[in-house]
Amino acid sequence: MPSPDRTDVGRSIRSRLSDLRTRLVGDTGDDESPVRTDGGATVSRGSAGTGLSDRLRSLRNSRFVGSLPFWLPPFLLMGLFVYGAIGWNFLISLTDMEGFGDPDYSALDFQQYAELFGSEAFINAARNTFVLLVAFTVLCLVLGLVLAILLDRTLRLQNTFRLVYLLPFSLSFVVTAQLWAWMYDIDNGIINSVLSLGGLRPDWIGNPQLVLGAVIFALVWQFSGYAMVVFLAGLQAIPDEHFEAARIDGASTITMYWRVIIPQLRGSVISALVVLMIGALKAFDFLYALFGQYRPAAGADILATLMVREAYSNQHWAYGSAIAIVLYVLALLVVIPYLYSQYRRGAL
Amino acid sequence: MSQETVTADATDGESSTSDLRDAIGGKRILLYAVLALIAVYFLIPLEAGLVTSFKTNEAVINTAPYLPPGPDGFTLQNWAEALDTLSSGLVNSLVMTIPATVLGALFGSLAAYGLTQISWKGQIPIFALFVAGVFIPYQAVLVPLSQFWSMIPLETALSPLWALPLLEPYHADLIELIVTHTAYGIPISTVLFRGYYMGLSDEMVEAARLDGAGVFEIYRRIVLPLSGPMFAVVLIYQFTQIWNELLFALILVGGTGPSAPVTLSLVGLGTSLEGVDFGLRMAGAFLTALPTLLVFIIFGDQFAQGVAGRT
C-alpha cells in the first residue's frame, strides 16, 4: 500500500495529468486514466458531487464542444439548403402539385413516379443523360491524361501550355454555349467552313443524330484541361526512380506508362472525377444557353432539362420534383461508392 | 522541378532521369508540334469568337470565321452595344459573386478546422454529409428553393435598407442569390480545406495547445495564416462557379429584370426573328467571360499549384 504522502503526490500528479489529458484529448469519462501504473490508481475519486462537476467541466472543455462553433453554423446552413430541401422535394414529389397554389400534403402517393417511368420523354432523357455522363467523363479523363503525359515530358513552356489548356475551364457554360453555337453554325461556322471544302455541310445542332455528340465535344473542350492539371500534378508526384526502373527493365514508353505509371494515378482519377461530375451535373446551363429556351433540340434532352421544363415551363411541380428525385438517386449511385472508397482509404 | 534535377548517372545521357521524362532527341520537336496543335484546338473557339466580335454583320457572313476583319469590316459597335445591354448584369454579378465567394470560403475553412484539427468521435459521418453535399444536382432542390424564397418576404423585411444610397428593392433578389450560393458553396469549400488541413503538420498546433492557446486562438494565429494557398484555390474556384452559374439566377430572378446577373442577360443577347447576330453575341460572351478569364490568367498558376498540393 502506498503511504499517505505518496497518495497525495499521486493524486496531484494524477489530477494534473487528467487536466492535461482533458485539454489534449477531450476525453470526458476518464475512469481509465493511464496513470494507473504510478501506484496512485487505487485511491478513490472523491465524492459524486465533484465527479459531476468534473464531468461538466471536462464536457465544457471537451473537443466536441470546442469544435461546435466552427462547424455547426456552416453545417446547419448547408444542411437546411441541401438535405432539408431534398426532403421537402421528395414530399412535393408525392403530392400532385400543379399550376398555381400550394401543394396538398394530405394525399401522398407515388403516382408521379408511375407516370414518369411510363413516359417516353423520360426514358429518352434518361438514356441521353447516361450517354452524356459516360462519354463526357471518359473522354475528359483520357484527353486529360494524354495531355498531362505529353506536358510532363517537356522542359520548356510547360506553364504556358498548362494555362492555355486550362483557360476554357474558367468560362461559364453560358459563354461556352455561345462560342460553340458559332463554331457549329451551319452556314458560317468554322467547322462547316472547313468541311465544306469536302462538300459536307452537317447541321450539328439541328440534327438529332449529331446534337448530343456536338454537346459532349464542347463540354470536353471545356473540362479536359482541368483533368490535365490534376493528372500532371499526380505524375509529378511520382518519383523519377519508377520511370528509371521501368526503363532499365527494357519496357517501351507505352508499356511503362500503362503498367507502371498510370496505375499510380488512381487518386488523381478520383479527384478529377469529382470536378467532372460537378460540371456534368450543371449541363443544364449549357443546353439552356445553347438553345435559348427550356426545350433543347430533339436528341439533346437530358433529365436536367426535362425537370426544369416540366416544373417551370409547364408548372408540373410534383412531376418535376419526381424527376429531380430520380436525378438525385442517380447522383447517389456515384456518391456512395465514392464515399465508401474514401472511407476505406482513410481519407474521410 | 524534378525534371531538371541532375542525377548521379547523368553523365550517361541515355539513362538520366531528365531524358526519361523529357522527349528524347529529335522527338522533342514533334512533341512541341503536337502540344501546339492541341493548343490550337483549345484556343480556336476563343479566337474565332474574338475576331467575330469585331466584325460588321456583312463581314461576319463574308469573311472566314477565324480570320480578322478587313479594314472596312471592322467595328466596335458590337462591344459598345453589348456593354450597354450587359453593364447592369455585370454589376449584379459582381455584387452577388464576391460576398458569396468570400462567405463560402470562410465557412468552409471554419467547418474544416472544426472537423480536422479538433478531433472527436463522430466527425466522419458529419463530414460525409458535407462530401455528399458536393454532388447534389441543383434540380433536386429547385422547387423547394423557389417555394422557400417566395415564402420569405425579404423585400419588405429589409425595406429600411432600400432608403440607403445605392441600394434598391430589387437587391433583395441578389441577397437571396448570395445566401443560396453561400449555402451550396459550403460543401466543396469544406472538402477542399479539410484535405489541406489534414496535410498540415500537427507540431505547431500541438505546441500552441500545450502553451494553453484556445481553439479560437489556434485558428486565428496558426491555421488561418497557413491557409493562404488553399484560400487561393477555393476563392478562384468558387468565384468562377458562382459568376458562371445560370440555373439559380434563372429560377430565383427569372427573365431580364433589373436584378438579373450577367449570365442570364447573355442568354438572349443578339437573337431576333431575323436570326442570330453573332458579332454582338461574341462581344457579349467575352464581356461575360472577362472577369473569370482575367482571374485565371493572373492566378492560374497558383490555382494549378494548389490543385497539385491537394492530390
Side-chain angles (χ1 to χ4, degrees), chain B:
Chain B
M1 286 274 93
S2 51
Q3 291 94 325
E4 281 152 353
T5 350
V6 180
T7 51
D9 56 358
T11 43
D12 177 6
E14 276 308 302
S15 63
S16 92
T17 49
S18 57
D19 267 5
L20 283 171
R21 279 185 152 184
D22 192 30
I24 296 161
K27 282 187 186 168
R28 190 170 302 175
I29 293 162
L30 185 68
L31 173 69
Y32 280 96
V34 170
L35 287 173
L37 206 66
I38 298 170
V40 169
Y41 161 66
F42 279 101
L43 287 177
I44 201 101
L46 293 166
E47 190 267 349
L50 199 60
V51 293
T52 304
S53 72
F54 290 109
K55 286 179 186 176
T56 60
N57 284 346
E58 293 77 45
V60 166
I61 295 168
N62 296 329
T63 54
Y66 46 87
L67 291 180
D72 52 338
F74 176 83
T75 178
L76 289 175
Q77 183 59 34
N78 294 324
W79 282 79
E81 201 179 329
L83 187 63
D84 197 42
T85 319
L86 298 181
S87 58
S88 79
L90 287 166
V91 173
N92 287 337
S93 280
L94 217 55
V95 168
M96 164 191 87
T97 307
I98 291 175
T101 303
V102 173
L103 284 175
L106 205 61
F107 274 131
S109 162
L110 287 169
Y113 173 69
L115 294 172
T116 317
Q117 294 296 314
I118 315 173
S119 51
W120 42 278
K121 275 181 210 155
Q123 48 177 296
I124 286 181
I126 297 280
F127 180 62
L129 286 174
F130 278 98
V131 179
V134 170
F135 298 95
I136 69 150
Y138 285 169
Q139 275 77 6
V141 296
L142 216 50
V143 175
L145 196 67
S146 47
Q147 290 258 309
F148 173 77
W149 284 121
S150 69
M151 276 160 44
I152 294 191
L154 208 55
E155 197 174 321
T156 35
L158 296 176
S159 53
L161 276 182
W162 315 138
L164 295 172
L166 294 177
L167 287 177
E168 302 287 342
Y170 71 76
H171 283 131
D173 284 347
L174 294 179
I175 294 176
E176 286 181 11
L177 284 175
I178 290 172
V179 174
T180 308
H181 279 301
T182 305
Y184 292 107
I186 287 173
I188 184 73
S189 314
T190 306
V191 170
L192 290 173
F193 272 113
R194 191 170 187 271
Y196 183 70
Y197 289 162
M198 299 259 275
L200 281 186
S201 127
D202 285 341
E203 281 170 33
M204 279 168 77
V205 176
E206 271 316 310
R209 200 170 276 147
L210 289 174
D211 278 351
V215 280
F216 286 95
E217 217 176 334
I218 293 176
Y219 178 72
R220 201 171 52 80
R221 299 231 324 260
I222 298 175
V223 175
L224 200 58
L226 288 175
S227 307
M230 213 7 122
F231 263 105
V233 173
V234 174
L235 288 175
I236 292 170
Y237 184 79
Q238 281 297 95
F239 182 85
T240 32
Q241 291 292 309
I242 298 173
W243 179 277
N244 291 342
E245 208 271 342
L246 173 72
L247 183 56
F248 284 156
L250 181 68
I251 296 312
L252 297 181
V253 176
T256 45
S259 52
V262 68
T263 45
L264 199 52
S265 319
L266 176 63
V267 170
L269 188 72
T271 349
S272 64
L273 288 175
E274 295 94 62
V276 180
D277 181 346
F278 274 110
L280 176 59
R281 255 197 190 197
M282 293 302 120
F286 273 94
L287 271 179
T288 307
L290 208 57
T292 51
L293 274 177
L294 282 181
V295 163
F296 265 73
I297 288 171
I298 299 170
F299 302 110
D301 273 353
Q302 260 156 294
F303 181 74
Q305 275 154 23
V307 170
R310 192 163 56 84
T311 33

Side-chain angles (χ1 to χ4, degrees), chain A residues 20 23-25 63-64 66-67 69-71 73-75 77-78 81-83 85-86 88-89 92 97 103 143 147 150-159 161-172 174-175 178-183 185 188-190 193 217 220-221 224-226 229-230 233-236 238 240 243-244 247 268 271 274-275 277-278 281-282 284-285 288-289 292 294 304 307-308 311-312 317 321 324 327-328 331 335 338-339 343 346-348, chain B residues 2-3 9 15 17 20-24 31-32 34-36 38-39 41-46 48-49 52 60-61 65-66 107 110-111 113-115 117-120 124 126-149 151 179-180 183-184 186-188 194 198 206 209-210 215-216 219 237 240-241 244-247 250-251 263 266-267 278 281-282 285-286 288-289 292-293 296-297 301 303-305 307-308 310-311:
Chain A
L20 192 64
R23 285 223 311 266
L24 284 176
V25 193
R63 287 197 165 189
F64 171 70
S67 71
F70 294 97
W71 63 266
F75 182 72
L77 183 61
M78 185 274 298
F81 274 84
V82 174
Y83 298 104
I86 289 172
W88 191 359
N89 186 86
I92 292 176
M97 183 186 180
L143 185 57
L147 289 177
L150 291 177
L151 267 191
D152 188 41
R153 299 171 76 87
T154 60
L155 296 178
R156 267 175 265 275
L157 293 175
Q158 195 181 68
N159 285 359
F161 280 121
R162 188 176 67 182
L163 179 63
V164 167
Y165 299 162
L166 191 58
L167 271 188
F169 182 70
S170 75
L171 301 178
S172 169
V174 184
V175 172
Q178 311 306 327
L179 295 176
W180 283 90
W182 177 225
M183 294 290 288
D185 187 66
N188 303 307
I190 286 196
S193 69
F217 193 77
V220 169
W221 174 78
S224 49
Y226 183 81
V229 167
V230 175
L235 283 173
Q236 291 179 342
I238 296 177
D240 282 334
F243 290 83
E244 214 170 328
R247 184 50 55 93
S268 304
S271 46
V274 170
V275 169
M277 283 300 298
I278 297 174
L281 288 174
K282 289 188 178 165
F284 168 87
D285 290 9
Y288 181 84
Y294 284 116
M307 182 271 157
V308 180
Y312 290 90
W317 306 107
S321 301
L327 203 54
Y328 183 61
V335 174
Y338 169 73
L339 277 177
Y343 179 71
L348 272 190
Chain B
S2 51
Q3 291 94 325
D9 56 358
S15 63
T17 49
L20 283 171
R21 279 185 152 184
D22 192 30
I24 296 161
L31 173 69
Y32 280 96
V34 170
L35 287 173
I38 298 170
Y41 161 66
F42 279 101
L43 287 177
I44 201 101
L46 293 166
T52 304
V60 166
I61 295 168
Y66 46 87
F107 274 131
L110 287 169
Y113 173 69
L115 294 172
Q117 294 296 314
I118 315 173
S119 51
W120 42 278
I124 286 181
I126 297 280
F127 180 62
L129 286 174
F130 278 98
V131 179
V134 170
F135 298 95
I136 69 150
Y138 285 169
Q139 275 77 6
V141 296
L142 216 50
V143 175
L145 196 67
S146 47
Q147 290 258 309
F148 173 77
W149 284 121
M151 276 160 44
V179 174
T180 308
Y184 292 107
I186 287 173
I188 184 73
R194 191 170 187 271
M198 299 259 275
E206 271 316 310
R209 200 170 276 147
L210 289 174
V215 280
F216 286 95
Y219 178 72
Y237 184 79
T240 32
Q241 291 292 309
N244 291 342
E245 208 271 342
L246 173 72
L247 183 56
L250 181 68
I251 296 312
T263 45
L266 176 63
V267 170
F278 274 110
R281 255 197 190 197
M282 293 302 120
F286 273 94
T288 307
T292 51
L293 274 177
F296 265 73
I297 288 171
D301 273 353
F303 181 74
Q305 275 154 23
V307 170
R310 192 163 56 84
T311 33

Side-chain angles (χ1 to χ4, degrees), chain A residues 303-318:
Chain A
L303 288 177
T305 47
L306 181 68
M307 182 271 157
V308 180
R309 188 168 71 246
E310 285 294 348
Y312 290 90
S313 177
N314 303 339
Q315 263 94 43
H316 295 156
W317 306 107

Side-chain angles (χ1 to χ4, degrees), chain A residues 66-336:
Chain A
S67 71
L68 280 179
F70 294 97
W71 63 266
L72 195 60
F75 182 72
L76 289 179
L77 183 61
M78 185 274 298
L80 174 74
F81 274 84
V82 174
Y83 298 104
I86 289 172
W88 191 359
N89 186 86
F90 181 62
L91 213 54
I92 292 176
S93 76
L94 300 180
T95 66
D96 39 43
M97 183 186 180
E98 243 182 64
F100 300 95
D102 291 325
D104 171 18
Y105 294 112
S106 59
L108 301 179
D109 54 37
F110 285 89
Q111 189 206 334
Q112 305 296 342
Y113 293 90
E115 254 177 66
L116 201 59
F117 291 115
S119 145
E120 203 178 314
F122 171 78
I123 305 289
N124 183 35
R127 204 189 52 229
N128 287 342
T129 306
F130 182 74
V131 170
L132 184 128
L133 274 183
V134 173
F136 167 74
T137 44
V138 170
L139 287 175
C140 279
L141 289 178
V142 170
L143 185 57
L145 181 63
V146 170
L147 289 177
I149 289 176
L150 291 177
L151 267 191
D152 188 41
R153 299 171 76 87
T154 60
L155 296 178
R156 267 175 265 275
L157 293 175
Q158 195 181 68
N159 285 359
T160 312
F161 280 121
R162 188 176 67 182
L163 179 63
V164 167
Y165 299 162
L166 191 58
L167 271 188
F169 182 70
S170 75
L171 301 178
S172 169
F173 270 147
V174 184
V175 172
T176 317
Q178 311 306 327
L179 295 176
W180 283 90
W182 177 225
M183 294 290 288
Y184 288 137
D185 187 66
I186 184 163
D187 296 317
N188 303 307
I190 286 196
I191 295 180
N192 277 7
S193 69
V194 172
L195 287 181
S196 66
L197 301 175
L200 291 167
R201 206 175 69 98
D203 185 357
W204 295 103
I205 292 175
N207 185 338
Q209 307 286 319
L210 296 176
V211 62
L212 194 59
V215 167
I216 293 169
F217 193 77
L219 297 182
V220 169
W221 174 78
Q222 181 162 11
F223 276 84
S224 49
Y226 183 81
M228 176 274 300
V229 167
V230 175
F231 280 127
L232 187 60
L235 283 173
Q236 291 179 342
I238 296 177
D240 282 334
E241 290 77 48
H242 292 218
F243 290 83
E244 214 170 328
R247 184 50 55 93
I248 288 166
D249 285 351
S252 72
T253 308
I254 291 173
T255 324
M256 172 177 80
Y257 275 104
W258 187 250
R259 293 260 179 81
V260 183
I261 305 303
I262 294 175
Q264 298 188 49
L265 293 174
R266 266 194 63 193
S268 304
V269 172
I270 289 173
S271 46
L273 271 178
V274 170
V275 169
L276 293 179
M277 283 300 298
I278 297 174
L281 288 174
K282 289 188 178 165
F284 168 87
D285 290 9
F286 182 84
L287 290 165
Y288 181 84
L290 186 63
F291 298 102
Q293 53 175 1
Y294 284 116
R295 181 181 287 281
D301 203 14
I302 58 173
L303 288 177
T305 47
L306 181 68
M307 182 271 157
V308 180
R309 188 168 71 246
E310 285 294 348
Y312 290 90
S313 177
N314 303 339
Q315 263 94 43
H316 295 156
W317 306 107
Y319 191 67
S321 301
I323 302 172
I325 290 294
V326 173
L327 203 54
Y328 183 61
V329 170
L330 290 180
L332 281 185
L333 291 182
V334 178
V335 174
I336 290 171

